[in-house]
């Protein structure tokens, strides 16, 4: 199903029923005279990968930061598992089960995999010393659950890792705290072909585990490879929604640019 609709009503629930895990309704956000988001609706369901696409300045990162608690919305509301929630900061988002992996990954190069995965959430033993054994075991459990095979040593500093390995560590850190929704900002940017394939497989694994996954990407080939739905933002508005299996890349590009596609045109 394809929608080209200025208000972009939410798409029907995926097969299997149930409502959205995370839903934004009528979100608006301005920075001074710049209106970054205008009455934006957004939803992601359990076990679904939603790609959020649009040109630079379309509002993608702003929407993600509102959902992650970085920016407060000027108006609108957020619902999580069917209940209205207030997200005043990243801790509120994390408490709900919303985790974000930003493009810069926010990893500490001087720390190893375990140190990064537990940064700020370290396990302490009876003497209040770090419980290194417990943390290392848990790190391996999470990596194994995600079928990460490229990280062979959790005591290796992340500075010595490839881009794909670093991305795997950042995603593993995001999902190890009982997260239910993962927001990924350009996870394959600047990665090679093999590393990109590893990350896309990791996204599929998140979906298989029942998480809602939101993927920001400018790479439409990657989007079509892993996404179930594609939501297009343009100039701060949600202008189109596509079922990825039925969509045509030319029509998605048309919605992004505001030009006429073969199946219709995004509203100006």
């Amino acid at each position: 199903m394809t929608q080209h609709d200025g208000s972009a009503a939410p798409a029907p629930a995926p097969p299997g029923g149930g409502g959205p895990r995370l839903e934004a309704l009528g979100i608006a956000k301005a920075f001074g005279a710049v209106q970054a988001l205008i009455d934006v609706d957004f939803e992601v369901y359990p076990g679904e990968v939603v790609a959020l696409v649009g040109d630079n300045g379309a509002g993608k990162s702003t929407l993600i930061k509102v959902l992650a608690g970085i920016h407060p919305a000027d108006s609108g509301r957020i619902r999580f598992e069917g209940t209205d929630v207030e997200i005043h900061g990243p801790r509120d988002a994390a408490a709900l089960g919303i985790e974000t992996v930003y493009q810069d990954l926010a990893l500490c190069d001087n720390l190893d995999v375990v140190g990064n995965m537990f940064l700020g959430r370290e396990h302490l033993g009876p003497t209040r010393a770090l419980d290194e054994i417990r943390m290392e075991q848990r790190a391996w459990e999470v990596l194994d659950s995600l079928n990460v095979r490229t990280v062979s040593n959790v005591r290796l500093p992340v500075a010595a890792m490839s881009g794909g390995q670093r991305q795997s560590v950042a995603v593993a850190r995001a999902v190890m705290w009982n997260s239910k929704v993962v927001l990924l900002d350009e996870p394959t940017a600047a990665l090679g072909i093999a590393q990109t394939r590893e990350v896309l497989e990791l996204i599929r694994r998140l979906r298989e585990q029942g998480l809602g996954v939101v993927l920001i990407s400018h790479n439409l080939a990657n989007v079509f490879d892993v996404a179930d739905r594609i939501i297009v933002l343009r100039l701060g508005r949600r202008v189109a929604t596509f079922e990825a299996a039925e969509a045509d890349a030319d029509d998605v590009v048309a919605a992004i640019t505001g030009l006429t596609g073969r199946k219709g045109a995004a509203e100006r």
Side-chain angles (χ1 to χ4, degrees):
M1 183 183 73
T2 303
Q3 296 180 20
H4 292 292
D5 182 303
S7 61
R21 175 158 286 167
L22 175 63
E23 186 176 19
L25 300 168
I27 299 296
K29 180 64 182 177
F31 298 96
V34 178
Q35 193 70 40
L37 296 174
I38 306 168
D39 194 28
V40 172
D41 293 344
F42 178 82
E43 66 290 325
V44 58
Y45 293 85
E48 180 188 40
V49 178
V50 175
L52 190 60
V53 303
D55 212 342
N56 292 332
K60 305 182 302 297
S61 293
T62 300
L63 178 58
I64 288 295
K65 289 178 180 178
V66 168
L67 298 175
I70 303 298
H71 295 319
D74 296 333
S75 61
R77 57 198 178 100
I78 297 174
R79 293 173 61 82
F80 191 82
E81 296 185 329
T83 302
D84 282 13
V85 296
E86 298 287 341
I87 300 179
H88 299 293
R91 287 186 181 274
D92 292 339
L96 290 169
I98 303 169
E99 294 283 350
T100 308
V101 179
Y102 295 102
Q103 189 170 349
D104 64 4
L105 302 183
L107 297 175
C108 296
D109 285 348
N110 61 312
L111 297 180
D112 59 22
V113 174
V114 175
N116 272 281
M117 289 178 67
F118 283 89
L119 186 62
R121 297 170 170 175
E122 292 84 357
H123 289 325
L124 300 179
T127 63
R128 306 298 293 172
L130 291 179
D131 192 339
E132 297 283 1
I133 295 177
R134 181 183 173 196
M135 290 192 295
E136 182 170 329
Q137 289 174 338
R138 178 59 180 153
W140 278 122
E141 288 173 2
V142 175
L143 291 169
D144 286 343
S145 73
L146 295 173
N147 202 30
V148 174
R149 297 290 177 258
T150 56
V151 177
S152 58
N153 182 1
V154 294
R155 290 303 179 180
L156 184 69
V158 297
M161 293 184 162
S162 69
Q165 290 172 318
R166 291 165 63 90
Q167 189 67 248
S168 295
V169 172
V171 172
R173 180 181 61 184
V175 305
M176 73 181 298
W177 306 105
N178 297 316
S179 58
K180 298 180 179 179
V181 174
V182 178
L183 314 176
L184 302 173
D185 187 3
E186 295 285 357
T188 60
L191 296 184
I193 294 174
Q195 295 173 343
T196 295
R197 186 165 57 247
E198 293 168 10
V199 173
L200 296 180
E201 186 56 40
L202 190 56
I203 293 172
R204 294 188 186 96
R205 178 68 58 150
L206 297 178
R207 175 174 54 197
E208 290 171 3
Q209 294 187 0
L211 279 72
V213 182
V214 181
L215 168 67
I216 291 181
S217 180
H218 283 94
N219 189 317
L220 288 185
N222 292 345
V223 165
F224 276 96
D225 198 0
V226 297
D228 299 295
R229 283 190 303 129
I230 303 169
I231 292 175
V232 181
L233 294 185
R234 183 164 58 86
L235 301 177
R237 298 182 184 272
R238 176 173 169 175
V239 296
T241 303
F242 298 89
E243 296 291 338
E246 303 171 4
D248 184 277
D250 290 341
D251 294 311
V252 176
V253 172
I256 292 172
T257 60
L259 302 177
T260 303
R262 291 188 293 109
K263 297 179 183 177
E267 288 191 358
R268 286 179 168 77

